[in-house]
Amino acid sequence: MRLYHNPRCSKSRQAVKLLTDKGVSFQELRYLEEGIMEEDLPILASLVGIVRKQEKAFKELDFAVDSVNEVIEALRSKPKLLERPVLVKDGKAIIGRPPEEILKLI
């Protein structure tokens, strides 16, 4: 189980606390520093709302992000576009907005 986490994001910090308080073992991935795991990209790309379109980095893309392949490329090249927090487990993922949503995947 992996949690894509940005410690500067309050929702992301809340998700870490929720998992920790529940005693759940998980890998914390600071995606801005470490990037996104290649095997998770197709899973993440299938989620509605996974790309943060309000980010300046989104406007810098030279493609529309209308297909799964374009979402994968956007997240691969600009991890900052990843909505967070995101929990990945057993080939499934869920966006933690609100953070309590991640508990549905446990």
Side-chain angles (χ1 to χ4, degrees), residues 4-80:
Y4 284 91
H5 171 58
N6 178 353
R8 294 185 63 185
C9 170
S10 64
K11 301 293 184 206
S12 195
R13 291 191 307 269
Q14 289 171 20
V16 169
K17 183 172 179 359
L18 279 170
L19 293 173
T20 303
D21 288 352
K22 294 264 184 204
V24 175
S25 177
F26 65 98
Q27 177 185 8
E28 182 181 320
L29 278 170
R30 295 184 180 204
Y31 65 94
L32 292 176
E33 299 163 14
E34 302 170 40
I36 298 170
M37 294 184 72
E38 196 65 28
E39 69 234 36
D40 290 340
L41 285 169
I43 300 164
L44 297 172
S46 71
L47 296 174
V48 173
I50 196 64
V51 175
R52 295 173 50 88
K53 294 182 178 180
Q54 72 275 21
E55 291 288 334
K56 179 182 176 188
F58 180 77
K59 296 174 180 103
E60 296 169 355
L61 293 174
D62 58 354
F63 49 89
V65 190
D66 289 332
S67 70
V68 169
N69 288 338
E70 289 175 336
V71 172
I72 289 171
E73 183 53 35
L75 294 176
R76 183 184 288 131
S77 65
K78 299 185 182 294
K80 185 176 185 171

Side-chain angles (χ1 to χ4, degrees), residues 74-93:
L75 294 176
R76 183 184 288 131
S77 65
K78 299 185 182 294
K80 185 176 185 171
L81 295 177
L82 180 73
E83 183 61 82
R84 79 276 177 173
V86 179
L87 186 66
V88 177
K89 178 184 177 194
D90 299 329
K92 297 179 182 171

